[in-house]
Amino acid sequence: MIIDAHAHIFSKIDGKKGLDNTSPQKYGKVLTGNIVSQMLPPFLADSSFRAEMLINIMDYAKVDKAVLVQNPVYGIINNEISEAIRCFPDRFIGTIQVDPMCENAIEIIKRYVAPKQSILKLELSQEWGWSGIHPGIKIDNPQFVAIWELASDLELQVIIDPGKINNPGYQVALFDKIFSRYPKIKFLLEHMGYLTSDLADSIKAKQRWLDLIKLAKKDNVFLGFSAFCSLLDDDYPCISSLNFLREAVSIVGSEKILWGSDVPVTLKKYTYEQMINVIDKYATFLTINEKEKILGANALNFFKNW
Protein backbone atom coordinates (compact mmCIF):
# COMPACT_ATOMS: atom_id res chain seq x y z
CA MET A 1 0.00 0.00 0.00
CA ILE A 2 1.21 3.50 -0.89
CA ILE A 3 -0.07 6.45 1.14
CA ASP A 4 0.74 10.04 0.27
CA ALA A 5 1.05 11.68 3.70
CA HIS A 6 1.24 15.23 2.32
CA ALA A 7 -0.94 16.29 -0.61
CA HIS A 8 -2.82 19.52 -1.32
CA ILE A 9 -6.09 20.31 -3.01
CA PHE A 10 -7.69 23.69 -3.63
CA SER A 11 -10.35 24.92 -6.03
CA LYS A 12 -8.98 28.47 -5.75
CA ILE A 13 -5.93 30.03 -4.13
CA ASP A 14 -7.21 32.57 -1.64
CA GLY A 15 -4.78 32.98 1.22
CA LYS A 16 -1.99 35.06 2.69
CA LYS A 17 1.77 35.10 2.38
CA GLY A 18 3.10 37.32 5.10
CA LEU A 19 1.06 40.51 4.95
CA ASP A 20 0.10 40.03 1.29
CA ASN A 21 -2.98 38.30 -0.09
CA THR A 22 -2.59 35.51 -2.62
CA SER A 23 -4.83 34.97 -5.64
CA PRO A 24 -4.66 32.80 -8.77
CA GLN A 25 -3.56 33.83 -12.22
CA LYS A 26 -3.47 31.56 -15.26
CA TYR A 27 -1.23 28.53 -15.86
CA GLY A 28 0.12 28.05 -12.36
CA LYS A 29 0.96 31.67 -11.67
CA VAL A 30 -0.05 33.28 -8.39
CA LEU A 31 -0.37 36.94 -7.50
CA THR A 32 1.14 37.76 -4.09
CA GLY A 33 0.63 41.42 -3.27
CA ASN A 34 1.65 42.97 -6.59
CA ILE A 35 4.13 40.25 -7.60
CA VAL A 36 3.29 37.38 -9.95
CA SER A 37 5.30 34.16 -9.57
CA GLN A 38 5.22 30.66 -11.04
CA MET A 39 4.19 28.95 -7.81
CA LEU A 40 2.53 25.94 -9.46
CA PRO A 41 3.24 23.84 -12.56
CA PRO A 42 2.15 25.61 -15.76
CA PHE A 43 -0.15 22.78 -16.89
CA LEU A 44 -2.63 23.86 -14.18
CA ALA A 45 -4.47 26.20 -16.54
CA ASP A 46 -6.72 27.82 -13.93
CA SER A 47 -4.18 27.39 -11.10
CA SER A 48 -6.45 25.03 -9.18
CA PHE A 49 -5.82 21.47 -8.04
CA ARG A 50 -9.11 19.87 -7.17
CA ALA A 51 -9.75 16.60 -5.37
CA GLU A 52 -10.78 14.88 -8.61
CA MET A 53 -7.44 15.73 -10.21
CA LEU A 54 -5.53 14.38 -7.23
CA ILE A 55 -7.57 11.16 -7.30
CA ASN A 56 -6.76 10.67 -10.97
CA ILE A 57 -3.01 11.15 -10.60
CA MET A 58 -3.10 8.87 -7.54
CA ASP A 59 -4.85 6.21 -9.61
CA TYR A 60 -2.33 6.59 -12.42
CA ALA A 61 0.60 6.22 -10.00
CA LYS A 62 -1.11 3.46 -7.99
CA VAL A 63 -1.27 5.47 -4.77
CA ASP A 64 -3.98 4.12 -2.49
CA LYS A 65 -4.69 6.96 -0.06
CA ALA A 66 -3.67 10.51 0.74
CA VAL A 67 -3.67 12.98 3.62
CA LEU A 68 -5.03 16.37 2.56
CA VAL A 69 -3.00 19.14 4.19
CA GLN A 70 -3.32 22.92 4.15
CA ASN A 71 -1.21 26.06 4.46
CA PRO A 72 -2.05 29.78 4.70
CA VAL A 73 -0.71 30.62 1.22
CA TYR A 74 -3.26 28.37 -0.50
CA GLY A 75 -5.88 29.43 2.05
CA ILE A 76 -7.91 27.99 4.91
CA ILE A 77 -10.11 25.38 3.23
CA ASN A 78 -11.53 23.26 6.04
CA ASN A 79 -14.89 22.98 4.27
CA GLU A 80 -13.29 21.90 1.00
CA ILE A 81 -11.28 19.24 2.81
CA SER A 82 -14.46 17.99 4.51
CA GLU A 83 -16.25 17.77 1.17
CA ALA A 84 -13.37 15.90 -0.48
CA ILE A 85 -13.43 13.35 2.33
CA ARG A 86 -17.21 13.00 1.96
CA CYS A 87 -16.84 12.35 -1.78
CA PHE A 88 -13.85 9.99 -1.45
CA PRO A 89 -14.08 8.49 2.07
CA ASP A 90 -11.93 5.47 1.22
CA ARG A 91 -9.13 7.56 -0.27
CA PHE A 92 -8.75 10.70 1.85
CA ILE A 93 -8.34 11.82 5.39
CA GLY A 94 -7.67 15.48 6.06
CA THR A 95 -6.40 18.30 8.18
CA ILE A 96 -7.91 21.22 10.03
CA GLN A 97 -6.18 24.58 9.66
CA VAL A 98 -6.75 27.58 11.87
CA ASP A 99 -4.93 30.84 12.51
CA PRO A 100 -3.46 30.06 15.95
CA MET A 101 -3.77 33.71 16.98
CA CYS A 102 -7.46 33.86 16.07
CA GLU A 103 -9.73 34.54 19.05
CA ASN A 104 -12.02 31.61 18.22
CA ALA A 105 -9.29 29.15 17.15
CA ILE A 106 -10.43 26.53 19.66
CA GLU A 107 -14.05 26.74 18.54
CA ILE A 108 -13.03 26.39 14.88
CA ILE A 109 -10.99 23.27 15.60
CA LYS A 110 -13.85 21.72 17.58
CA ARG A 111 -16.28 22.52 14.75
CA TYR A 112 -14.32 20.54 12.17
CA VAL A 113 -12.99 17.61 14.18
CA ALA A 114 -14.40 14.41 12.69
CA PRO A 115 -13.26 10.78 12.43
CA LYS A 116 -11.50 11.37 9.11
CA GLN A 117 -10.55 14.98 9.82
CA SER A 118 -8.72 14.71 13.12
CA ILE A 119 -5.34 16.16 12.12
CA LEU A 120 -4.22 19.68 12.94
CA LYS A 121 -1.87 21.35 10.44
CA LEU A 122 0.36 24.14 11.73
CA GLU A 123 2.44 25.92 9.11
CA LEU A 124 5.04 27.75 11.19
CA SER A 125 7.34 28.85 8.39
CA GLN A 126 7.93 32.51 7.71
CA GLU A 127 7.65 32.13 3.93
CA TRP A 128 4.48 30.01 3.80
CA GLY A 129 2.98 30.25 7.26
CA TRP A 130 2.11 31.89 10.52
CA SER A 131 5.59 33.23 11.40
CA GLY A 132 5.31 35.52 8.39
CA ILE A 133 1.77 36.60 9.26
CA HIS A 134 2.40 36.96 13.01
CA PRO A 135 6.06 37.95 13.53
CA GLY A 136 7.46 36.70 16.82
CA ILE A 137 4.91 33.89 17.23
CA LYS A 138 6.08 31.14 19.61
CA ILE A 139 4.53 27.71 20.09
CA ASP A 140 4.51 28.04 23.87
CA ASN A 141 2.52 31.27 24.02
CA PRO A 142 -0.92 31.15 25.72
CA GLN A 143 -2.90 30.81 22.48
CA PHE A 144 -0.81 27.83 21.46
CA VAL A 145 -1.01 26.23 24.90
CA ALA A 146 -4.80 26.20 24.58
CA ILE A 147 -4.46 24.47 21.21
CA TRP A 148 -2.04 21.88 22.59
CA GLU A 149 -4.37 21.16 25.49
CA LEU A 150 -7.30 20.60 23.14
CA ALA A 151 -5.21 18.44 20.78
CA SER A 152 -4.08 16.34 23.73
CA ASP A 153 -7.62 15.96 25.10
CA LEU A 154 -8.93 14.88 21.68
CA GLU A 155 -5.75 12.90 20.85
CA LEU A 156 -5.38 14.68 17.52
CA GLN A 157 -2.39 14.19 15.27
CA VAL A 158 -0.45 17.38 14.54
CA ILE A 159 1.54 18.12 11.39
CA ILE A 160 4.12 20.90 11.84
CA ASP A 161 6.02 22.58 9.03
CA PRO A 162 8.93 24.41 10.70
CA GLY A 163 10.12 26.17 7.56
CA LYS A 164 13.72 26.82 6.61
CA ILE A 165 16.48 26.21 9.13
CA ASN A 166 17.29 29.93 9.45
CA ASN A 167 13.67 31.12 9.76
CA PRO A 168 11.83 31.98 13.03
CA GLY A 169 9.47 29.01 12.75
CA TYR A 170 12.37 26.61 13.33
CA GLN A 171 11.83 26.46 17.09
CA VAL A 172 13.73 23.29 17.92
CA ALA A 173 14.07 23.88 21.68
CA LEU A 174 10.37 24.70 21.97
CA PHE A 175 9.43 21.66 19.86
CA ASP A 176 11.39 19.53 22.29
CA LYS A 177 9.53 21.11 25.22
CA ILE A 178 6.04 20.76 23.70
CA PHE A 179 6.57 17.25 22.37
CA SER A 180 7.63 16.08 25.83
CA ARG A 181 4.79 17.89 27.58
CA TYR A 182 2.07 16.34 25.40
CA PRO A 183 2.84 12.64 24.90
CA LYS A 184 -0.76 11.86 23.81
CA ILE A 185 -0.29 13.97 20.67
CA LYS A 186 1.49 12.36 17.74
CA PHE A 187 3.57 14.98 15.92
CA LEU A 188 4.79 14.86 12.32
CA LEU A 189 7.64 17.26 11.50
CA GLU A 190 7.36 17.90 7.81
CA HIS A 191 9.92 18.17 5.01
CA MET A 192 12.41 16.11 7.07
CA GLY A 193 14.03 19.14 8.65
CA TYR A 194 13.59 21.49 5.66
CA LEU A 195 17.22 21.50 4.55
CA THR A 196 17.50 23.79 1.50
CA SER A 197 20.07 23.90 -1.29
CA ASP A 198 21.58 27.19 -0.08
CA LEU A 199 22.31 25.74 3.37
CA ALA A 200 23.11 22.11 2.53
CA ASP A 201 26.87 22.68 2.84
CA SER A 202 26.71 24.78 6.01
CA ILE A 203 28.11 23.03 9.10
CA LYS A 204 25.94 25.19 11.37
CA ALA A 205 22.79 24.49 9.36
CA LYS A 206 23.56 20.77 9.29
CA GLN A 207 23.81 20.74 13.08
CA ARG A 208 20.45 22.51 13.37
CA TRP A 209 19.01 19.93 10.99
CA LEU A 210 20.40 17.10 13.11
CA ASP A 211 18.99 18.70 16.27
CA LEU A 212 15.51 18.62 14.71
CA ILE A 213 15.87 15.12 13.23
CA LYS A 214 16.86 13.73 16.64
CA LEU A 215 13.53 14.86 18.09
CA ALA A 216 12.00 11.91 16.24
CA LYS A 217 13.68 9.62 18.76
CA LYS A 218 10.73 10.51 20.98
CA ASP A 219 7.92 7.97 20.85
CA ASN A 220 5.34 10.54 19.65
CA VAL A 221 7.46 12.33 17.02
CA PHE A 222 7.83 11.37 13.36
CA LEU A 223 9.36 12.89 10.21
CA GLY A 224 7.70 13.57 6.87
CA PHE A 225 9.80 13.02 3.74
CA SER A 226 7.79 15.41 1.56
CA ALA A 227 9.31 17.91 -0.89
CA PHE A 228 12.76 17.28 0.60
CA CYS A 229 14.21 16.68 -2.86
CA SER A 230 12.63 19.89 -4.16
CA LEU A 231 13.97 21.93 -1.26
CA LEU A 232 17.47 20.67 -2.05
CA ASP A 233 16.84 21.35 -5.76
CA ASP A 234 18.04 17.80 -6.29
CA ASP A 235 17.85 16.38 -9.80
CA TYR A 236 16.10 13.02 -10.15
CA PRO A 237 16.83 10.39 -8.85
CA CYS A 238 17.79 12.70 -5.96
CA ILE A 239 20.95 11.03 -4.70
CA SER A 240 21.88 13.92 -2.39
CA SER A 241 18.45 13.77 -0.74
CA LEU A 242 18.80 10.02 -0.30
CA ASN A 243 22.11 10.50 1.50
CA PHE A 244 20.32 12.71 4.04
CA LEU A 245 17.50 10.17 4.27
CA ARG A 246 20.04 7.43 4.96
CA GLU A 247 21.44 9.54 7.80
CA ALA A 248 17.97 10.19 9.24
CA VAL A 249 17.13 6.49 9.11
CA SER A 250 20.36 5.67 10.92
CA ILE A 251 19.37 8.08 13.72
CA VAL A 252 15.63 7.45 14.21
CA GLY A 253 14.84 4.29 12.22
CA SER A 254 12.78 3.72 9.09
CA GLU A 255 9.59 3.30 11.14
CA LYS A 256 9.67 7.03 11.99
CA ILE A 257 9.56 8.41 8.43
CA LEU A 258 6.48 8.98 6.25
CA TRP A 259 6.64 9.62 2.51
CA GLY A 260 4.61 12.45 1.01
CA SER A 261 4.58 14.24 -2.33
CA ASP A 262 3.54 17.83 -1.50
CA VAL A 263 1.73 17.98 -4.83
CA PRO A 264 0.99 20.07 -6.78
CA VAL A 265 3.93 22.44 -6.23
CA THR A 266 6.51 19.64 -6.51
CA LEU A 267 5.15 18.68 -9.94
CA LYS A 268 7.14 21.61 -11.31
CA LYS A 269 10.29 19.47 -10.98
CA TYR A 270 9.24 15.80 -10.76
CA THR A 271 6.46 13.52 -11.87
CA TYR A 272 4.36 11.83 -9.19
CA GLU A 273 5.87 8.46 -10.13
CA GLN A 274 9.40 9.82 -9.79
CA MET A 275 8.69 11.01 -6.25
CA ILE A 276 7.59 7.48 -5.36
CA ASN A 277 10.51 5.87 -7.18
CA VAL A 278 13.07 7.94 -5.25
CA ILE A 279 12.17 5.64 -2.36
CA ASP A 280 10.96 2.53 -4.15
CA LYS A 281 13.77 2.17 -6.72
CA TYR A 282 16.69 4.35 -5.69
CA ALA A 283 16.84 4.14 -1.89
CA THR A 284 18.95 1.00 -2.22
CA PHE A 285 20.14 1.20 1.40
CA LEU A 286 16.58 0.37 2.52
CA THR A 287 15.19 -3.15 2.69
CA ILE A 288 11.90 -3.95 0.96
CA ASN A 289 10.21 -3.90 4.36
CA GLU A 290 11.67 -0.49 5.19
CA LYS A 291 10.51 0.93 1.86
CA GLU A 292 7.01 -0.38 2.50
CA LYS A 293 7.02 1.30 5.90
CA ILE A 294 8.08 4.68 4.54
CA LEU A 295 5.75 4.55 1.52
CA GLY A 296 2.64 3.55 3.41
CA ALA A 297 2.70 1.40 6.52
CA ASN A 298 4.03 4.16 8.78
CA ALA A 299 1.26 6.53 7.65
CA LEU A 300 -1.32 3.83 8.21
CA ASN A 301 -0.10 3.51 11.80
CA PHE A 302 0.41 7.23 12.47
CA PHE A 303 -2.96 8.51 11.33
CA LYS A 304 -6.27 7.30 12.74
CA ASN A 305 -9.56 6.23 11.18
CA TRP A 306 -8.58 5.24 7.67
Side-chain angles (χ1 to χ4, degrees), residues 193-206:
Y194 215 114
L195 191 61
T196 49
S197 56
D198 58 320
L199 296 174
D201 295 326
S202 164
I203 295 174
K204 184 177 180 180
K206 176 68 180 300

Side-chain angles (χ1 to χ4, degrees), residues 53-110:
M53 180 174 285
L54 176 57
I55 285 289
N56 276 277
I57 71 165
M58 287 168 60
D59 288 346
Y60 185 76
K62 297 181 173 59
V63 172
D64 298 280
K65 300 176 186 292
V67 181
L68 303 179
V69 300
Q70 307 185 50
N71 67 48
V73 172
Y74 294 153
I76 294 176
I77 56 166
N78 295 316
N79 287 326
E80 189 168 347
I81 298 289
S82 299
E83 178 62 14
I85 294 168
R86 188 191 67 79
C87 291
F88 303 100
D90 296 329
R91 307 296 296 279
F92 293 147
I93 59 174
T95 59
I96 301 163
Q97 180 174 230
V98 64
D99 184 336
M101 308 309 289
C102 175
E103 288 184 1
N104 59 339
I106 297 299
E107 287 71 24
I108 293 171
I109 295 169
K110 288 180 178 178

